Amino acid sequence: MITQVRSIVPETVKPEYTRYTPTNGKKPDGADFGVDGWLFALPGETLGGVRFSQAMYAAFQVSERGALFWRVREVGGERRQVGSDSTTRKGALAVNTVAQQREKAAAPATRDPGARTHDAAWRMAAEDGERSQVSATMTKRLERMRAGQLAALPTVAEIRMAYPLAGGGATLRLMTAEGSTAERHMIPLTERGAAGRENDPAGIYLDTITDGANTEGLKIAAGWHLMRLGFNYARGAAWAPYTGSASSEAQWKEWAPMLPEGHRWPHTVRVAITATAEHLAYIDRAYGPAPELPDLPTGVSAQPSGPRSWQICYANRRFWQLSYWPRMGGDVWTLYADPARTKSLARAASPGELLATIPARDAEAQARAAVRKSY
């Protein structure tokens, strides 16, 4: 008869957390416990005559497939992970898993070693399977988001004239096959736009390109915007007049005498468009895994601190933050001086350019510190 033993851990444990960081002296040694996290202890107990000592654990975040997950690992011993990854810290604590491990170890050894080995192998395989499921779930989520972005890509570009009494300007609108338009795809062609907005250096926003008419100047302006947004005209497509609703056409007929002579039509033109290879590559980067960092300079280490960010350390004494932002026209890597990423130090098109400056930045910081000490 096998005596059943039950751990008291699930009923009694209320972990008290101690925060650890790379600089407060409480972080466990090694790279198995993330950049920072929380320490907590589970009490000792005796089960079936077997004594289990109090154990310390670390709860920390890891970055996989462009998302953050919580993981719990025992501090000391073999540093094995306890339980499976979770999207919340509470879900990753795995108190029940610790209890089950103790119960199995304390059960009378009535089964042969081969059976125990088989159970251990099965348990490890199950835990690996759970981690794989988390990764697979995030992969599927990113794939759905990517598919949604591709399905929402505009397929039609339209230049629409404003009514004369509204100023006679013109607007470029990019639409999906269903006719929907995102706010970023509503672009005034005859205005300078909001402060900080990119403008064509050729000055195509000047009102003289239209004079209240749908001129070739508007089409040139629209083409520049399409190129900047990562779209091109579909093969064989050209701007062509578009007839709107009956009420819209009746209104334009009423306003026609107010338009300049010879420019009473067309008030709206459309053309079929397609996303460029650059735009499609951008979507792949935006909804794909985070890029790998290149070989690090001597003395430099890097640990993931977010979906697209890393904590950079030099000689175990000074820290920076590195972030990656996929963008049309060229991805951006930024080096920050603080974990909150409020003080930007430099930007580059590749991480290697920024990582190569880390030793020199550390030397400069040490020199400044030495000068302050001399005073």
PDB file of all heavy atoms in Angstrom, residues 5-37:
ATOM      1  N   VAL A   5       1.155  11.369   0.487  1.00  0.00           N
ATOM      2  CA  VAL A   5       1.637  12.516   1.240  1.00  0.00           C
ATOM      3  C   VAL A   5       1.187  13.782   0.528  1.00  0.00           C
ATOM      4  O   VAL A   5       1.123  13.828  -0.690  1.00  0.00           O
ATOM      5  CB  VAL A   5       3.178  12.491   1.376  1.00  0.00           C
ATOM      6  CG1 VAL A   5       3.609  11.353   2.265  1.00  0.00           C
ATOM      7  CG2 VAL A   5       3.850  12.398   0.015  1.00  0.00           C
ATOM      8  N   ARG A   6       0.853  14.789   1.302  1.00  0.00           N
ATOM      9  CA  ARG A   6       0.377  16.042   0.722  1.00  0.00           C
ATOM     10  C   ARG A   6       1.210  17.196   1.260  1.00  0.00           C
ATOM     11  O   ARG A   6       1.368  17.354   2.474  1.00  0.00           O
ATOM     12  CB  ARG A   6      -1.101  16.270   1.071  1.00  0.00           C
ATOM     13  CG  ARG A   6      -2.040  15.328   0.318  1.00  0.00           C
ATOM     14  CD  ARG A   6      -2.090  15.700  -1.158  1.00  0.00           C
ATOM     15  NE  ARG A   6      -2.960  14.804  -1.893  1.00  0.00           N
ATOM     16  CZ  ARG A   6      -2.538  13.754  -2.587  1.00  0.00           C
ATOM     17  NH1 ARG A   6      -1.239  13.465  -2.606  1.00  0.00           N
ATOM     18  NH2 ARG A   6      -3.385  13.001  -3.241  1.00  0.00           N
ATOM     19  N   SER A   7       1.728  18.009   0.348  1.00  0.00           N
ATOM     20  CA  SER A   7       2.520  19.167   0.738  1.00  0.00           C
ATOM     21  C   SER A   7       1.605  20.255   1.278  1.00  0.00           C
ATOM     22  O   SER A   7       0.481  20.443   0.802  1.00  0.00           O
ATOM     23  CB  SER A   7       3.301  19.694  -0.460  1.00  0.00           C
ATOM     24  OG  SER A   7       3.902  20.925  -0.162  1.00  0.00           O
ATOM     25  N   ILE A   8       2.098  20.964   2.287  1.00  0.00           N
ATOM     26  CA  ILE A   8       1.333  22.074   2.855  1.00  0.00           C
ATOM     27  C   ILE A   8       1.603  23.388   2.107  1.00  0.00           C
ATOM     28  O   ILE A   8       0.981  24.406   2.407  1.00  0.00           O
ATOM     29  CB  ILE A   8       1.673  22.270   4.345  1.00  0.00           C
ATOM     30  CG1 ILE A   8       3.147  22.692   4.506  1.00  0.00           C
ATOM     31  CG2 ILE A   8       1.363  21.023   5.146  1.00  0.00           C
ATOM     32  CD1 ILE A   8       3.517  23.109   5.905  1.00  0.00           C
ATOM     33  N   VAL A   9       2.518  23.356   1.156  1.00  0.00           N
ATOM     34  CA  VAL A   9       2.917  24.591   0.480  1.00  0.00           C
ATOM     35  C   VAL A   9       1.741  25.319  -0.169  1.00  0.00           C
ATOM     36  O   VAL A   9       1.570  26.532   0.023  1.00  0.00           O
ATOM     37  CB  VAL A   9       4.033  24.311  -0.552  1.00  0.00           C
ATOM     38  CG1 VAL A   9       4.269  25.529  -1.427  1.00  0.00           C
ATOM     39  CG2 VAL A   9       5.312  23.919   0.157  1.00  0.00           C
ATOM     40  N   PRO A  10       0.872  24.648  -0.950  1.00  0.00           N
ATOM     41  CA  PRO A  10      -0.217  25.397  -1.606  1.00  0.00           C
ATOM     42  C   PRO A  10      -1.141  26.097  -0.620  1.00  0.00           C
ATOM     43  O   PRO A  10      -1.727  27.136  -0.936  1.00  0.00           O
ATOM     44  CB  PRO A  10      -0.964  24.321  -2.399  1.00  0.00           C
ATOM     45  CG  PRO A  10       0.029  23.229  -2.588  1.00  0.00           C
ATOM     46  CD  PRO A  10       0.843  23.218  -1.324  1.00  0.00           C
ATOM     47  N   GLU A  11      -1.308  25.522   0.599  1.00  0.00           N
ATOM     48  CA  GLU A  11      -2.230  26.108   1.570  1.00  0.00           C
ATOM     49  C   GLU A  11      -1.598  27.233   2.386  1.00  0.00           C
ATOM     50  O   GLU A  11      -2.298  28.120   2.878  1.00  0.00           O
ATOM     51  CB  GLU A  11      -2.759  25.027   2.526  1.00  0.00           C
ATOM     52  CG  GLU A  11      -3.758  24.066   1.875  1.00  0.00           C
ATOM     53  CD  GLU A  11      -3.085  23.045   0.976  1.00  0.00           C
ATOM     54  OE1 GLU A  11      -1.897  22.755   1.228  1.00  0.00           O
ATOM     55  OE2 GLU A  11      -3.727  22.559   0.030  1.00  0.00           O
ATOM     56  N   THR A  12      -0.298  27.146   2.599  1.00  0.00           N
ATOM     57  CA  THR A  12       0.329  28.076   3.542  1.00  0.00           C
ATOM     58  C   THR A  12       1.156  29.174   2.897  1.00  0.00           C
ATOM     59  O   THR A  12       1.467  30.176   3.543  1.00  0.00           O
ATOM     60  CB  THR A  12       1.250  27.306   4.515  1.00  0.00           C
ATOM     61  OG1 THR A  12       2.326  26.699   3.771  1.00  0.00           O
ATOM     62  CG2 THR A  12       0.480  26.225   5.240  1.00  0.00           C
ATOM     63  N   VAL A  13       1.547  29.005   1.637  1.00  0.00           N
ATOM     64  CA  VAL A  13       2.510  29.936   1.060  1.00  0.00           C
ATOM     65  C   VAL A  13       1.855  31.264   0.668  1.00  0.00           C
ATOM     66  O   VAL A  13       0.790  31.294   0.054  1.00  0.00           O
ATOM     67  CB  VAL A  13       3.227  29.325  -0.158  1.00  0.00           C
ATOM     68  CG1 VAL A  13       2.249  29.083  -1.304  1.00  0.00           C
ATOM     69  CG2 VAL A  13       4.347  30.238  -0.644  1.00  0.00           C
ATOM     70  N   LYS A  14       2.455  32.340   1.118  1.00  0.00           N
ATOM     71  CA  LYS A  14       2.119  33.703   0.694  1.00  0.00           C
ATOM     72  C   LYS A  14       3.451  34.408   0.458  1.00  0.00           C
ATOM     73  O   LYS A  14       3.986  35.057   1.347  1.00  0.00           O
ATOM     74  CB  LYS A  14       1.303  34.430   1.756  1.00  0.00           C
ATOM     75  CG  LYS A  14      -0.102  33.878   1.935  1.00  0.00           C
ATOM     76  CD  LYS A  14      -0.890  34.673   2.942  1.00  0.00           C
ATOM     77  CE  LYS A  14      -2.308  34.107   3.087  1.00  0.00           C
ATOM     78  NZ  LYS A  14      -3.089  34.866   4.086  1.00  0.00           N
ATOM     79  N   PRO A  15       4.006  34.243  -0.757  1.00  0.00           N
ATOM     80  CA  PRO A  15       5.375  34.735  -1.002  1.00  0.00           C
ATOM     81  C   PRO A  15       5.512  36.227  -0.740  1.00  0.00           C
ATOM     82  O   PRO A  15       4.644  37.028  -1.084  1.00  0.00           O
ATOM     83  CB  PRO A  15       5.588  34.413  -2.490  1.00  0.00           C
ATOM     84  CG  PRO A  15       4.607  33.335  -2.797  1.00  0.00           C
ATOM     85  CD  PRO A  15       3.422  33.632  -1.941  1.00  0.00           C
ATOM     86  N   GLU A  16       6.601  36.574  -0.086  1.00  0.00           N
ATOM     87  CA  GLU A  16       6.998  37.966   0.061  1.00  0.00           C
ATOM     88  C   GLU A  16       8.134  38.214  -0.924  1.00  0.00           C
ATOM     89  O   GLU A  16       9.143  37.497  -0.902  1.00  0.00           O
ATOM     90  CB  GLU A  16       7.447  38.255   1.496  1.00  0.00           C
ATOM     91  CG  GLU A  16       6.326  38.140   2.498  1.00  0.00           C
ATOM     92  CD  GLU A  16       6.786  38.529   3.889  1.00  0.00           C
ATOM     93  OE1 GLU A  16       7.955  38.983   4.018  1.00  0.00           O
ATOM     94  OE2 GLU A  16       5.996  38.395   4.845  1.00  0.00           O
ATOM     95  N   TYR A  17       7.976  39.227  -1.747  1.00  0.00           N
ATOM     96  CA  TYR A  17       8.911  39.440  -2.845  1.00  0.00           C
ATOM     97  C   TYR A  17       9.978  40.469  -2.492  1.00  0.00           C
ATOM     98  O   TYR A  17       9.701  41.473  -1.839  1.00  0.00           O
ATOM     99  CB  TYR A  17       8.151  39.896  -4.097  1.00  0.00           C
ATOM    100  CG  TYR A  17       7.168  38.874  -4.607  1.00  0.00           C
ATOM    101  CD1 TYR A  17       5.805  38.987  -4.305  1.00  0.00           C
ATOM    102  CD2 TYR A  17       7.601  37.795  -5.355  1.00  0.00           C
ATOM    103  CE1 TYR A  17       4.907  38.037  -4.754  1.00  0.00           C
ATOM    104  CE2 TYR A  17       6.698  36.850  -5.817  1.00  0.00           C
ATOM    105  CZ  TYR A  17       5.357  36.973  -5.511  1.00  0.00           C
ATOM    106  OH  TYR A  17       4.476  36.042  -5.952  1.00  0.00           O
ATOM    107  N   THR A  18      11.175  40.194  -2.956  1.00  0.00           N
ATOM    108  CA  THR A  18      12.287  41.131  -2.825  1.00  0.00           C
ATOM    109  C   THR A  18      12.789  41.466  -4.223  1.00  0.00           C
ATOM    110  O   THR A  18      13.189  40.565  -4.972  1.00  0.00           O
ATOM    111  CB  THR A  18      13.443  40.526  -1.997  1.00  0.00           C
ATOM    112  OG1 THR A  18      12.950  40.209  -0.691  1.00  0.00           O
ATOM    113  CG2 THR A  18      14.594  41.512  -1.885  1.00  0.00           C
ATOM    114  N   ARG A  19      12.758  42.720  -4.578  1.00  0.00           N
ATOM    115  CA  ARG A  19      13.174  43.132  -5.918  1.00  0.00           C
ATOM    116  C   ARG A  19      14.692  43.025  -6.053  1.00  0.00           C
ATOM    117  O   ARG A  19      15.438  43.387  -5.133  1.00  0.00           O
ATOM    118  CB  ARG A  19      12.749  44.583  -6.165  1.00  0.00           C
ATOM    119  CG  ARG A  19      13.153  45.138  -7.545  1.00  0.00           C
ATOM    120  CD  ARG A  19      12.381  44.479  -8.648  1.00  0.00           C
ATOM    121  NE  ARG A  19      12.793  44.934  -9.955  1.00  0.00           N
ATOM    122  CZ  ARG A  19      12.294  45.999 -10.584  1.00  0.00           C
ATOM    123  NH1 ARG A  19      11.386  46.732  -9.985  1.00  0.00           N
ATOM    124  NH2 ARG A  19      12.705  46.323 -11.789  1.00  0.00           N
ATOM    125  N   TYR A  20      15.147  42.520  -7.191  1.00  0.00           N
ATOM    126  CA  TYR A  20      16.580  42.538  -7.472  1.00  0.00           C
ATOM    127  C   TYR A  20      16.839  43.211  -8.815  1.00  0.00           C
ATOM    128  O   TYR A  20      16.016  43.140  -9.736  1.00  0.00           O
ATOM    129  CB  TYR A  20      17.191  41.138  -7.439  1.00  0.00           C
ATOM    130  CG  TYR A  20      16.741  40.177  -8.530  1.00  0.00           C
ATOM    131  CD1 TYR A  20      17.312  40.211  -9.810  1.00  0.00           C
ATOM    132  CD2 TYR A  20      15.782  39.215  -8.271  1.00  0.00           C
ATOM    133  CE1 TYR A  20      16.927  39.318 -10.792  1.00  0.00           C
ATOM    134  CE2 TYR A  20      15.378  38.314  -9.246  1.00  0.00           C
ATOM    135  CZ  TYR A  20      15.956  38.376 -10.508  1.00  0.00           C
ATOM    136  OH  TYR A  20      15.570  37.487 -11.482  1.00  0.00           O
ATOM    137  N   THR A  21      17.952  43.911  -8.904  1.00  0.00           N
ATOM    138  CA  THR A  21      18.395  44.584 -10.127  1.00  0.00           C
ATOM    139  C   THR A  21      19.882  44.304 -10.304  1.00  0.00           C
ATOM    140  O   THR A  21      20.534  43.795  -9.384  1.00  0.00           O
ATOM    141  CB  THR A  21      18.163  46.102 -10.053  1.00  0.00           C
ATOM    142  OG1 THR A  21      19.066  46.649  -9.080  1.00  0.00           O
ATOM    143  CG2 THR A  21      16.735  46.431  -9.648  1.00  0.00           C
ATOM    144  N   PRO A  22      20.450  44.625 -11.445  1.00  0.00           N
ATOM    145  CA  PRO A  22      21.884  44.393 -11.638  1.00  0.00           C
ATOM    146  C   PRO A  22      22.764  45.224 -10.712  1.00  0.00           C
ATOM    147  O   PRO A  22      23.959  44.941 -10.577  1.00  0.00           O
ATOM    148  CB  PRO A  22      22.105  44.781 -13.108  1.00  0.00           C
ATOM    149  CG  PRO A  22      20.773  44.662 -13.749  1.00  0.00           C
ATOM    150  CD  PRO A  22      19.795  45.061 -12.687  1.00  0.00           C
ATOM    151  N   THR A  23      22.183  46.247 -10.071  1.00  0.00           N
ATOM    152  CA  THR A  23      23.028  47.157  -9.296  1.00  0.00           C
ATOM    153  C   THR A  23      22.732  47.183  -7.798  1.00  0.00           C
ATOM    154  O   THR A  23      23.448  47.845  -7.053  1.00  0.00           O
ATOM    155  CB  THR A  23      22.880  48.595  -9.834  1.00  0.00           C
ATOM    156  OG1 THR A  23      21.493  48.980  -9.789  1.00  0.00           O
ATOM    157  CG2 THR A  23      23.393  48.685 -11.262  1.00  0.00           C
ATOM    158  N   ASN A  24      21.672  46.495  -7.332  1.00  0.00           N
ATOM    159  CA  ASN A  24      21.375  46.587  -5.893  1.00  0.00           C
ATOM    160  C   ASN A  24      21.991  45.463  -5.068  1.00  0.00           C
ATOM    161  O   ASN A  24      21.722  45.351  -3.877  1.00  0.00           O
ATOM    162  CB  ASN A  24      19.860  46.655  -5.656  1.00  0.00           C
ATOM    163  CG  ASN A  24      19.146  45.350  -6.001  1.00  0.00           C
ATOM    164  OD1 ASN A  24      19.760  44.367  -6.428  1.00  0.00           O
ATOM    165  ND2 ASN A  24      17.839  45.348  -5.825  1.00  0.00           N
ATOM    166  N   GLY A  25      22.785  44.589  -5.721  1.00  0.00           N
ATOM    167  CA  GLY A  25      23.505  43.555  -4.993  1.00  0.00           C
ATOM    168  C   GLY A  25      22.679  42.342  -4.614  1.00  0.00           C
ATOM    169  O   GLY A  25      23.193  41.432  -3.959  1.00  0.00           O
ATOM    170  N   LYS A  26      21.403  42.266  -5.035  1.00  0.00           N
ATOM    171  CA  LYS A  26      20.548  41.144  -4.666  1.00  0.00           C
ATOM    172  C   LYS A  26      20.297  40.177  -5.817  1.00  0.00           C
ATOM    173  O   LYS A  26      19.674  39.138  -5.631  1.00  0.00           O
ATOM    174  CB  LYS A  26      19.210  41.667  -4.139  1.00  0.00           C
ATOM    175  CG  LYS A  26      19.353  42.514  -2.881  1.00  0.00           C
ATOM    176  CD  LYS A  26      18.011  43.025  -2.404  1.00  0.00           C
ATOM    177  CE  LYS A  26      18.183  43.893  -1.151  1.00  0.00           C
ATOM    178  NZ  LYS A  26      16.887  44.410  -0.649  1.00  0.00           N
ATOM    179  N   LYS A  27      20.786  40.523  -7.008  1.00  0.00           N
ATOM    180  CA  LYS A  27      20.547  39.681  -8.176  1.00  0.00           C
ATOM    181  C   LYS A  27      21.358  38.387  -8.062  1.00  0.00           C
ATOM    182  O   LYS A  27      22.551  38.417  -7.749  1.00  0.00           O
ATOM    183  CB  LYS A  27      20.950  40.424  -9.451  1.00  0.00           C
ATOM    184  CG  LYS A  27      20.676  39.639 -10.725  1.00  0.00           C
ATOM    185  CD  LYS A  27      21.100  40.449 -11.947  1.00  0.00           C
ATOM    186  CE  LYS A  27      20.761  39.712 -13.227  1.00  0.00           C
ATOM    187  NZ  LYS A  27      21.461  38.419 -13.334  1.00  0.00           N
ATOM    188  N   PRO A  28      20.741  37.213  -8.309  1.00  0.00           N
ATOM    189  CA  PRO A  28      21.492  35.959  -8.299  1.00  0.00           C
ATOM    190  C   PRO A  28      22.588  35.965  -9.364  1.00  0.00           C
ATOM    191  O   PRO A  28      22.454  36.613 -10.413  1.00  0.00           O
ATOM    192  CB  PRO A  28      20.425  34.902  -8.614  1.00  0.00           C
ATOM    193  CG  PRO A  28      19.126  35.556  -8.275  1.00  0.00           C
ATOM    194  CD  PRO A  28      19.310  37.010  -8.577  1.00  0.00           C
ATOM    195  N   ASP A  29      23.680  35.266  -9.094  1.00  0.00           N
ATOM    196  CA  ASP A  29      24.776  35.208 -10.054  1.00  0.00           C
ATOM    197  C   ASP A  29      24.348  34.457 -11.313  1.00  0.00           C
ATOM    198  O   ASP A  29      23.536  33.526 -11.264  1.00  0.00           O
ATOM    199  CB  ASP A  29      25.991  34.508  -9.439  1.00  0.00           C
ATOM    200  CG  ASP A  29      26.596  35.310  -8.298  1.00  0.00           C
ATOM    201  OD1 ASP A  29      26.444  36.543  -8.310  1.00  0.00           O
ATOM    202  OD2 ASP A  29      27.211  34.691  -7.401  1.00  0.00           O
ATOM    203  N   GLY A  30      24.930  34.858 -12.432  1.00  0.00           N
ATOM    204  CA  GLY A  30      24.667  34.189 -13.688  1.00  0.00           C
ATOM    205  C   GLY A  30      23.613  34.876 -14.518  1.00  0.00           C
ATOM    206  O   GLY A  30      22.953  35.824 -14.091  1.00  0.00           O
ATOM    207  N   ALA A  31      23.462  34.369 -15.747  1.00  0.00           N
ATOM    208  CA  ALA A  31      22.536  34.983 -16.710  1.00  0.00           C
ATOM    209  C   ALA A  31      21.211  34.234 -16.802  1.00  0.00           C
ATOM    210  O   ALA A  31      20.437  34.462 -17.716  1.00  0.00           O
ATOM    211  CB  ALA A  31      23.194  35.031 -18.084  1.00  0.00           C
ATOM    212  N   ASP A  32      20.934  33.317 -15.833  1.00  0.00           N
ATOM    213  CA  ASP A  32      19.719  32.505 -15.892  1.00  0.00           C
ATOM    214  C   ASP A  32      18.514  33.162 -15.255  1.00  0.00           C
ATOM    215  O   ASP A  32      17.441  32.557 -15.198  1.00  0.00           O
ATOM    216  CB  ASP A  32      19.956  31.155 -15.200  1.00  0.00           C
ATOM    217  CG  ASP A  32      21.025  30.320 -15.875  1.00  0.00           C
ATOM    218  OD1 ASP A  32      21.191  30.475 -17.099  1.00  0.00           O
ATOM    219  OD2 ASP A  32      21.691  29.532 -15.184  1.00  0.00           O
ATOM    220  N   PHE A  33      18.658  34.379 -14.725  1.00  0.00           N
ATOM    221  CA  PHE A  33      17.587  34.984 -13.956  1.00  0.00           C
ATOM    222  C   PHE A  33      17.151  36.339 -14.507  1.00  0.00           C
ATOM    223  O   PHE A  33      16.645  37.182 -13.766  1.00  0.00           O
ATOM    224  CB  PHE A  33      18.018  35.132 -12.496  1.00  0.00           C
ATOM    225  CG  PHE A  33      18.412  33.828 -11.863  1.00  0.00           C
ATOM    226  CD1 PHE A  33      19.737  33.458 -11.757  1.00  0.00           C
ATOM    227  CD2 PHE A  33      17.443  32.949 -11.404  1.00  0.00           C
ATOM    228  CE1 PHE A  33      20.104  32.256 -11.195  1.00  0.00           C
ATOM    229  CE2 PHE A  33      17.795  31.733 -10.830  1.00  0.00           C
ATOM    230  CZ  PHE A  33      19.127  31.379 -10.732  1.00  0.00           C
ATOM    231  N   GLY A  34      17.345  36.564 -15.813  1.00  0.00           N
ATOM    232  CA  GLY A  34      16.911  37.792 -16.435  1.00  0.00           C
ATOM    233  C   GLY A  34      17.743  38.995 -16.009  1.00  0.00           C
ATOM    234  O   GLY A  34      18.757  38.875 -15.312  1.00  0.00           O
ATOM    235  N   VAL A  35      17.295  40.164 -16.445  1.00  0.00           N
ATOM    236  CA  VAL A  35      17.995  41.399 -16.106  1.00  0.00           C
ATOM    237  C   VAL A  35      17.643  41.833 -14.688  1.00  0.00           C
ATOM    238  O   VAL A  35      18.497  42.219 -13.903  1.00  0.00           O
ATOM    239  CB  VAL A  35      17.623  42.504 -17.115  1.00  0.00           C
ATOM    240  CG1 VAL A  35      18.284  43.820 -16.730  1.00  0.00           C
ATOM    241  CG2 VAL A  35      18.047  42.090 -18.516  1.00  0.00           C
ATOM    242  N   ASP A  36      16.373  41.781 -14.349  1.00  0.00           N
ATOM    243  CA  ASP A  36      15.930  42.073 -12.987  1.00  0.00           C
ATOM    244  C   ASP A  36      14.674  41.257 -12.727  1.00  0.00           C
ATOM    245  O   ASP A  36      14.094  40.656 -13.630  1.00  0.00           O
ATOM    246  CB  ASP A  36      15.702  43.564 -12.761  1.00  0.00           C
ATOM    247  CG  ASP A  36      14.759  44.164 -13.783  1.00  0.00           C
ATOM    248  OD1 ASP A  36      13.988  43.399 -14.398  1.00  0.00           O
ATOM    249  OD2 ASP A  36      14.793  45.380 -13.990  1.00  0.00           O
ATOM    250  N   GLY A  37      14.253  41.212 -11.474  1.00  0.00           N
ATOM    251  CA  GLY A  37      13.092  40.407 -11.135  1.00  0.00           C
ATOM    252  C   GLY A  37      12.814  40.458  -9.653  1.00  0.00           C
ATOM    253  O   GLY A  37      13.176  41.413  -8.962  1.00  0.00           O
TER     254      GLY A  37
END
